[in-house]
Amino acid sequence: MADSNLGTAPAGAPDPVDRLILDEAADLGGVDAPLAVVGDVTGALAVAAAERFDLDTIRTFHDALSEERASDEAVRASFRSLKAVRFGLEPALFDGVRLVLLRLPKSLAELDEIVRLAAAHAHPDVRIVAGGRIKHMSRGMNETLERSFDVVTASLGRQKSRVLHASVPRAELRGAPSVYPVVQRSEELGFAIASHGGAFAGPRLDLGTRELLATLRDLPADALPESGLAVDLGCGTGVLAVSLARLRPRLEVIASDRSWAAAASARETVRLAGVEDRVEVRREDAGSSIETETVDLVLLNPPFHDRHEVVEDMAHPLFEQAARMLKPGGAMLTVFNSGLAHRAALERIVGPSAQVARGAKFTVVLSRRRD
């Protein structure tokens, strides 16, 4: 856990979802510390909650490092001397908490992990106030809450937003150990995949990763480095990092991802596969800790969704970081949806790039860092 302290300038304004969460929470009556804020994208919800409920300490969890940093900035720029105590998705986040303010995540598995932990470790009288945009909400969210809490209700809609309320934790979950990360053995891979709720693809081998791994096995031995330093950039559950370590045992591998769920999942996947001595997992933005021109090989299965939207250039910062970290002449193997114009971007940002595989949905491109 980590602390972040406030400054004195006004914080950014809460959006309609934040405001509805705060209003619905205020209608519950007095709010006593500790209070937990989960999934706050900008920090505005945490700062506004501290003001609304006259609190000087709030517990927070953010999956993405970018959201942590935005929250830290909001906290530093806020109106009072507030301390935001940052946790992982762990029992301590909810220990004794009576109120949880939650921005609903896209993934039902991530929501399930959050509310199970709250049901198990928060105060028995805990209330969860979970808000989102109506167009992104589903009946599955109610059902997920109902698996952990006996009472689940929905607010009226306002400004295209709605709140779900949950209370009375299920008795069988009180003090129960978490079922996350979920672990599932892949016979195709020959090792188990561990996955926290927010990790992409869960404990399964996604199609893009399967395509990249097939290409990795089929390429001539001299097409890629056999030794040196390799990076699985945006590692997810660590499948590529572990597979690479097993296929090329003379490589040292760094698995890097900005997501708490991804990094925690990858660490467990690496541990279960027994390759901890050669695979290091780092939670960071786009491999930011890796020194310039030190890497021999980058593997990348980049994201192309920002929450609910397809963003074609979302992978470009990853391409730029790969170009920075690769040695001149170093190799990069990228898989992406065939409908995206990533090959041209790789050619421009990294260096000469050639298509080496193409399936019905995915394309794999091999790039060389230009000298």
Side-chain angles (χ1 to χ4, degrees):
M1 105 185 136
D3 291 353
S4 177
N5 293 298
L6 301 179
T8 56
D15 70 5
V17 175
D18 292 339
R19 291 195 294 271
L20 184 56
I21 289 173
L22 290 166
D23 289 346
E24 291 284 320
D27 287 346
L28 297 175
V31 175
D32 298 320
L35 178 147
V37 177
V38 178
D40 183 8
V41 176
T42 65
L45 177 57
V47 171
E51 181 176 16
R52 175 75 69 94
F53 303 123
D54 194 26
L55 301 173
D56 58 13
T57 301
I58 286 182
R59 300 180 189 179
T60 65
F61 167 73
H62 308 269
D63 182 68
L65 266 176
S66 56
E67 294 174 5
E68 278 189 5
R69 289 175 181 146
S71 181
D72 286 349
E73 286 299 314
V75 163
R76 280 193 290 270
S78 71
F79 67 102
R80 61 193 298 171
S81 182
L82 171 70
K83 182 168 70 173
V85 186
R86 194 162 60 231
F87 289 82
L89 197 50
E90 56 190 314
L93 170 65
F94 297 111
D95 186 28
V97 164
R98 291 175 177 267
L99 178 64
V100 178
L101 305 184
L102 169 64
R103 295 280 306 219
L104 284 162
K106 178 181 177 182
S107 161
L108 292 181
E110 183 177 2
L111 177 61
D112 184 59
E113 182 170 13
I114 292 165
V115 298
R116 278 178 176 271
L117 276 170
H121 300 286
H123 191 279
D125 295 332
V126 66
R127 299 290 190 98
I128 292 182
V129 184
R133 302 289 283 173
I134 291 173
K135 66 180 181 179
H136 297 150
M137 296 174 69
S138 68
R139 176 61 194 169
M141 291 177 173
N142 301 60
E143 294 166 353
T144 299
L145 287 164
E146 289 165 357
R147 288 197 292 270
S148 293
F149 288 86
D150 285 331
V151 179
V152 176
T153 60
S155 76
L156 296 175
R158 190 180 80 189
Q159 292 185 285
K160 302 180 181 179
S161 306
R162 192 183 301 280
V163 156
L164 301 179
H165 290 271
S167 60
V168 189
R170 289 193 173 273
E172 65 270 22
L173 293 182
R174 296 298 298 162
S178 178
V179 298
Y180 292 89
V182 175
V183 176
Q184 183 172 304
R185 180 170 174 81
S186 168
E187 296 304 324
E188 180 178 351
L189 293 171
F191 59 84
I193 304 171
S195 177
H196 282 272
F200 172 72
R204 297 171 299 281
L205 178 60
D206 72 275
L207 295 177
T209 297
R210 176 181 282 116
E211 192 78 37
L212 191 149
L213 285 174
T215 304
L216 186 64
R217 297 187 189 102
D218 292 344
L219 282 173
D222 59 354
L224 298 175
E226 289 286 345
S227 61
L229 178 62
V231 174
D232 177 4
L233 192 56
C235 66
T237 55
V239 168
L240 285 174
V242 170
S243 298
L244 184 61
R246 288 159 62 101
L247 286 168
R248 286 174 162 77
R250 292 166 56 201
L251 281 171
E252 296 294 323
V253 182
I254 294 172
S256 172
D257 205 295
R258 69 175 187 166
S259 159
W260 181 92
S265 301
R267 288 191 187 97
E268 185 64 6
T269 300
V270 167
R271 187 190 71 81
L272 292 170
V275 292
E276 296 155 291
D277 58 331
R278 289 187 295 109
V279 180
E280 177 189 357
V281 180
R282 299 181 185 178
R283 183 178 179 231
E284 59 188 359
D285 276 329
S288 58
S289 73
I290 299 168
E291 295 183 9
T292 299
E293 296 189 354
T294 59
V295 175
D296 300 277
L297 173 63
V298 172
L299 300 184
L300 176 59
N301 181 2
F304 57 92
H305 282 94
D306 184 3
R307 295 184 178 271
H308 300 272
E309 307 297 331
V310 174
V311 182
E312 181 153 335
D313 62 359
M314 188 177 179
H316 290 191
L318 294 172
F319 298 167
E320 290 162 2
Q321 284 296 316
R324 178 194 63 79
M325 68 180 66
L326 277 168
K327 296 175 180 177
M332 178 176 177
L333 204 58
T334 308
V335 63
F336 53 87
N337 188 293
S338 295
L340 300 174
H342 281 350
R343 180 179 172 182
L346 287 163
E347 186 91 28
R348 183 180 73 253
I349 296 169
V350 181
S353 300
Q355 178 180 301
V356 290
R358 185 180 178 95
K361 293 185 177 180
F362 294 96
T363 295
V364 182
V365 166
L366 176 60
S367 306
R368 297 282 179 186
R369 161 74 145 79
R370 59 175 56 90
D371 293 340

